[in-house]
Amino acid sequence: MAAKANREAHGHHDPVGRVEDARLVTGNGKYAADWRLPGQLHARFVRADRAHADIVSIDATAALRHPGVKAVLTGEDAVQAGYFTAPNALNFPGRNGMTAIAPRRPALAHGRVRFVGEAVALVVAATPAAAQDAAELVAVEYRDRVPVTAPEAALAPGAPRIHDEVPGNCPFESEAGSAEAVAAAIAAAAHVTRLKVVSNRVAPSPMEPRACMVEWDASRDHYTLYVCSQGITTQRQQMSAWTGVKGSQFTIHARDVGGGFGQRTLAYPEYCALMIAAKKLGRPVQWVATRGEGFMADSHGRANVIEGELALDAGGRFLGLRLSWVNDMGSYLSPGAMGHIRNTTTCMTGVYRIPALYASYRVALTNTTPVAAYRGAGRPDIAYVVERLVSEAAAELGIDPAELRRRNFIPVEAFPYATPTGSTYEYADMPGLIEKALKLADWTGFAERRAKTEKNGKLRGLGIATVIENTGAGNAPKDDAEIEVGADGIVTVHTLAKAQGHGHETTFAQIVAGALELPLARVRVMQCAPEKQQSMVGNHTGGSRSTVGAGSVCHLAALKAIDEGKARAALVLGVEPSQVAYARGVFGSTESGKKVALADLARDGTPFAVAAEGRFGSTFPNGCHIAEVEVDPSTGATGITAYSAVDDCGRVINHAIVEGQLHGGVMQGIGQVLGESIVYDDATGQLLTGSFMDYCMPRAGWLRGISGQEHATPSKVSPLGVKGMGESGCTGSIPAVANAVMDALRSAGVGHVDMPLTPSRVWLALQSRQRKG
């Protein structure tokens, strides 16, 4: 109700309902595990039960004798196939021009296991039950090695070496900005705030467990994958890099996908192992992961340790910022890990004019699950450390945290703003945005609310975050879109972007329907259609870029359909194309007095078709999020009493979808702050939070409402004026909620506490302070 009231107050109509929802909520979706092919077999992986060990032997004799078993594959098969060169995206020059040392990663572990859950063998059988039973009969003998799970410990002298080819467990180092300029700023500063923070490791946990089926066509040497995916272009490129199979030899079916968050972008080693099995047996092979496998083997997110120093002058103006990062990448480099460096460099200055910036990065390998992109891919991490430093500086100097931000915002007249680390921000109105947010949150009334809370024996905190993030520019050379108009008047839009709950079938249809002036029901959107995969190019859905990229190209394709339609209609009308007008699906000419429907341009059963392409860079959505919390000192439990968000995501196509993206992102950020955390035992490397019994997912009751408003400034990057939105909620909520809890604890004399701010951790911090007192 609050969201609807806000929309009405700002002149917005009720939102268009999502056209895909009827299919999904009635059980008519088709997910990766739903595919069935004639003669298909079923697979189960044998996974390492220890974090670091040599593989002495694998005995599959008993498993092969089990009824229904067709094959057992091991690392020998993976090496023999040549499937051991895992792709990674740390392909840019590092410190002093260094290149990343990418360790080999066979599709099935060969010689050594390096994290709990690493795939050691693959059992293929006639039924899922037979494969599961036989997998338990595979006997693996190990020779244990000492594991190291903490990134700073892995980089310490004398740490166990995880890969022989990676000295010091550090495959890559990088830096950005000017170390000399920041050193000078710190030396001249009237005050320096110093803080060390941890962006805790989390499990993305999409609703749909990972699944894949591979079919091999011997006549064409062609592989067809039925898989949960965020887009076929990136996944096909990665599969090709890993296996040496040409991209043209892959077709990827991805129908409905139950969540992604970056985790479904990747080509995983399990998919490569299934390729070996399908080719060996000549039959389709399907694997459906358990939730436990998801915790162990699906990529993790975040896992960064950052030390920061913020230098200020006597008037509270920012002079310089120095950050030292340790990026935990897990046991192997992942294709999605570059965002922890590149995105944090792009947005290092935050929304502030900071003359001197410098960051150093050390990548650490540990005996843990590999880390990849997770909703924001570094953007929430940089927002967290910068916003924590700003709020900490405000507390140390006795300045209102909103006022300190105002003093240091990038001025409106400075946009487009070139940052000291080489990025260029497009327009943002941070002064106008924060004023709207402060009013929405009743910032000035907080002192009275805190006093009432303290009378009840509880602590109250107020946290603010003003953030900006770059949306993904994409790694494909362009985005294509095709529009086909059938004789029945149905407009079919083809794109290689892939929704995982985003609502592309609605948003893209609205864009095309709006340009063509047609009812929404006449437009249908096809994503990653198999028949288009070899002829079209396009980026996957990730980095909050799909409406900016694919959506903009859909718009261009619709305009092109009108232009080319005028030329074709002119032939029928007997006039020049310049004499043809178009409106609401009909071409007409006052000169001829005749009309031609758009559907009439389809000839002899062949649709009227046009194609468009475009290349769009990053947009810079921004926002101000304010959280208010109440902490019970007797239990350490934190409750969010109010949450306000004002966001600039440019022009909004569908308000309901944008609100849904915001709400989901905010909740994921809250989950990381208050509960979610992947924990390994330091001594054994065992995963201690490998189920929802131990891994604390956010609950709906944690956030009972969001007061939200828009503060849109149109983007010039996109012809639609849109900016990304998919990750803004996460980027804003993590620092806002963390700052609110820290504000509450500070009122009790407690300093910084690392996330997750669980009841036990908060209670222990309060008890420690009382004992010291």
Side-chain angles (χ1 to χ4, degrees):
M1 294 297 292
K4 182 177 181 181
N6 279 327
R7 287 196 301 271
E8 292 173 349
H10 289 79
H12 303 318
H13 300 295
D14 283 338
V16 173
R18 297 192 349 156
V19 300
E20 52 269 82
D21 284 354
R23 178 181 79 251
L24 299 177
V25 301
T26 56
N28 290 304
K30 190 162 190 176
Y31 297 89
D34 295 331
W35 289 94
R36 297 292 181 268
L37 297 177
Q40 80 178 60
L41 299 171
H42 300 269
R44 181 80 171 192
F45 286 94
V46 178
R47 298 189 178 276
D49 61 0
R50 58 206 68 199
H52 199 193
D54 296 319
I55 300 174
V56 177
S57 65
I58 301 176
D59 185 356
T61 305
L64 288 167
R65 291 174 179 165
H66 190 76
V69 171
K70 305 299 181 181
V72 177
L73 305 181
T74 68
E76 291 291 340
D77 297 282
V79 171
Q80 196 171 57
Y83 293 3
F84 49 74
T85 306
N88 81 87
L90 292 177
N91 51 14
F92 49 93
R95 190 192 296 269
N96 299 322
M98 78 171 293
T99 57
I101 304 170
R104 293 191 356 159
R105 185 185 183 184
L108 295 167
H110 184 257
R112 195 193 300 188
V113 295
R114 293 178 171 87
F115 68 97
V116 171
E118 185 168 9
V120 174
L122 174 64
V123 177
V124 182
T127 67
Q132 181 176 352
D133 289 343
E136 295 175 2
L137 298 175
V138 176
V140 185
E141 182 183 352
Y142 295 104
R143 183 186 304 111
D144 287 332
R145 289 173 175 255
V146 177
V148 57
T149 60
E152 292 174 294
L155 296 176
R161 185 178 288 195
I162 297 171
H163 295 273
D164 294 339
E165 64 268 40
V166 183
N169 298 320
C170 183
F172 190 68
E173 294 186 66
S174 184
E175 60 184 347
S178 172
E180 295 78 11
V182 171
I186 290 175
H191 180 84
V192 179
T193 292
R194 293 179 171 89
L195 199 61
K196 181 178 180 179
V197 301
V198 176
S199 184
N200 40 314
R201 177 186 283 251
V202 294
S205 303
M207 292 178 68
E208 178 190 13
R210 194 152 50 97
C212 179
M213 178 156 55
V214 177
E215 182 182 28
W216 179 63
D217 183 344
S219 66
R220 299 186 297 147
D221 192 18
H222 191 91
Y223 294 89
T224 301
L225 276 65
Y226 302 81
V227 66
C228 38
S229 173
Q230 294 186 216
I232 61 99
T233 303
T234 299
Q235 202 160 48
R236 189 170 55 193
Q237 289 172 345
Q238 293 178 9
M239 292 295 294
S240 179
W242 204 317
T243 64
V245 175
K246 294 179 181 179
S248 59
Q249 292 173 260
F250 287 100
T251 297
I252 297 176
H253 287 263
R255 219 42 101 68
D256 295 308
V257 181
F261 314 122
Q263 194 184 65
R264 297 298 187 250
T265 304
L266 310 178
Y268 282 91
E270 289 89 349
Y271 307 162
C272 301
L274 293 171
M275 288 173 58
I276 300 171
K279 184 173 184 178
K280 178 183 178 73
L281 298 169
R283 293 168 65 177
V285 181
Q286 184 184 55
W287 163 68
V288 180
T290 66
R291 184 61 69 178
E293 285 182 292
F295 276 106
M296 290 189 293
D298 290 7
S299 64
H300 291 168
R302 310 290 188 245
N304 291 302
V305 180
I306 315 111
E307 293 187 55
E309 297 171 277
L310 178 63
L312 302 89
D313 67 14
R317 302 284 180 178
F318 300 159
L319 301 175
L321 173 66
R322 179 161 58 200
L323 300 177
S324 175
W325 294 74
V326 173
N327 309 108
D328 182 358
M329 297 295 180
S331 49
Y332 300 95
L333 296 183
S334 163
M338 75 291 188
H340 294 181
I341 297 176
R342 282 194 160 173
N343 289 334
T344 58
T345 297
T346 298
C347 296
M348 185 178 169
T349 198
V351 294
Y352 310 109
R353 176 177 271 175
I354 308 177
L357 300 175
Y358 176 73
S360 62
Y361 300 85
R362 290 186 297 158
V363 170
L365 295 181
T366 58
N367 289 117
T368 61
T369 301
V371 173
Y374 170 58
R375 199 167 192 167
R379 303 171 187 89
D381 306 75
I382 187 64
Y384 173 54
V385 65
V386 169
E387 291 301 297
R388 280 292 297 118
L389 280 165
V390 173
S391 286
E392 196 71 15
E396 292 172 356
L397 295 171
I399 301 174
D400 179 88
E403 171 57 27
L404 185 59
R405 286 167 167 81
R406 285 195 197 96
R407 292 183 194 179
N408 290 283
F409 281 150
I410 300 167
V412 171
E413 62 272 15
F415 290 96
Y417 180 71
T419 76
T421 49
S423 54
T424 301
Y425 291 174
E426 62 176 334
Y427 184 79
D429 175 22
M430 297 311 301
L433 191 145
I434 194 174
E435 291 309 316
K436 189 177 289 186
L438 293 175
K439 182 178 180 181
L440 189 64
D442 187 19
W443 183 267
T444 56
F446 173 71
E448 182 179 348
R449 295 192 296 276
R450 169 176 269 180
K452 290 181 179 178
T453 297
E454 290 177 345
K455 287 182 179 179
N456 295 324
K458 295 186 178 180
L459 307 174
R460 200 175 191 93
L462 186 63
I464 184 172
T466 46
V467 300
I468 195 167
E469 58 179 354
N470 56 306
T471 60
N475 52 21
K478 61 177 181 174
D479 281 298
D480 287 342
E482 293 185 8
I483 288 180
E484 299 172 350
V485 183
D488 58 359
I490 297 299
V491 178
T492 301
V493 183
H494 287 279
T495 175
L496 294 188
K498 186 71 194 81
Q500 313 110 55
H502 299 75
H504 290 175
E505 293 175 53
T506 302
T507 303
F508 294 172
Q510 282 186 259
I511 292 169
V512 172
L516 295 178
E517 302 176 20
L518 295 174
L520 187 65
R522 284 182 57 184
V523 181
R524 65 171 188 162
V525 176
M526 302 294 291
Q527 305 168 75
C528 301
E531 67 273 16
K532 299 292 184 179
Q533 292 183 17
Q534 303 300 332
S535 60
M536 292 180 65
V537 175
N539 285 286
H540 71 283
T541 290
S544 302
R545 73 165 322 279
S546 286
T547 304
V548 175
S552 294
V553 178
C554 288
H555 174 71
L556 296 178
L559 298 181
K560 188 174 180 179
I562 294 173
D563 287 341
E564 294 194 8
K566 287 181 179 179
R568 186 173 291 193
L571 298 175
V572 178
L573 299 172
V575 297
E576 293 295 320
S578 61
Q579 296 174 308
V580 178
Y582 174 84
R584 298 181 180 180
V586 177
F587 298 93
S589 171
T590 55
E591 284 76 5
S592 69
K594 299 178 181 179
K595 294 182 179 181
V596 176
L598 181 62
D600 294 337
L601 301 183
R603 298 173 178 171
D604 302 323
T606 301
F608 167 53
V610 298
E613 63 180 51
R615 173 70 181 175
F616 303 93
S618 294
T619 63
F620 286 84
N622 51 86
C624 179
H625 288 215
I626 300 174
E628 195 163 330
V629 303
E630 191 174 77
V631 176
D632 185 344
S634 66
T635 64
T638 297
I640 299 173
T641 60
Y643 195 98
S644 304
V646 177
D647 284 281
D648 173 11
C649 59
R651 177 193 168 201
V652 175
I653 305 298
N654 186 298
H655 292 277
I657 288 176
V658 165
E659 288 174 8
Q661 289 284 342
L662 174 68
H663 294 178
V666 167
M667 278 304 296
Q668 280 184 281
I670 290 171
Q672 182 178 349
V673 176
L674 298 183
E676 294 187 59
S677 186
I678 285 289
V679 179
Y680 289 93
D681 180 74
D682 288 337
T684 64
Q686 290 295 325
L687 177 61
L688 302 180
T689 52
S691 77
F692 289 135
M693 293 293 289
D694 305 297
Y695 185 88
C696 184
M697 292 290 283
R699 273 67 167 173
W702 287 9
L703 182 65
R704 302 189 180 185
I706 297 177
S707 297
Q709 290 184 9
E710 297 164 11
H711 190 75
T713 62
S715 169
K716 295 182 179 180
V717 172
S718 161
L720 293 169
V722 298
K723 301 179 183 179
M725 185 61 198
E727 292 152 327
S728 298
C730 209
T731 301
S733 65
I734 292 174
V737 176
N739 277 335
V741 178
M742 290 301 104
D743 183 53
L745 296 181
R746 191 180 295 112
S747 69
V750 176
H752 176 78
V753 181
D754 278 326
M755 299 189 297
L757 298 167
T758 58
S760 59
R761 185 170 286 193
V762 170
W763 183 84
L764 287 171
L766 288 166
Q767 293 300 307
S768 176
R769 176 59 185 169
Q770 289 178 7
R771 287 194 295 270
K772 289 179 180 178

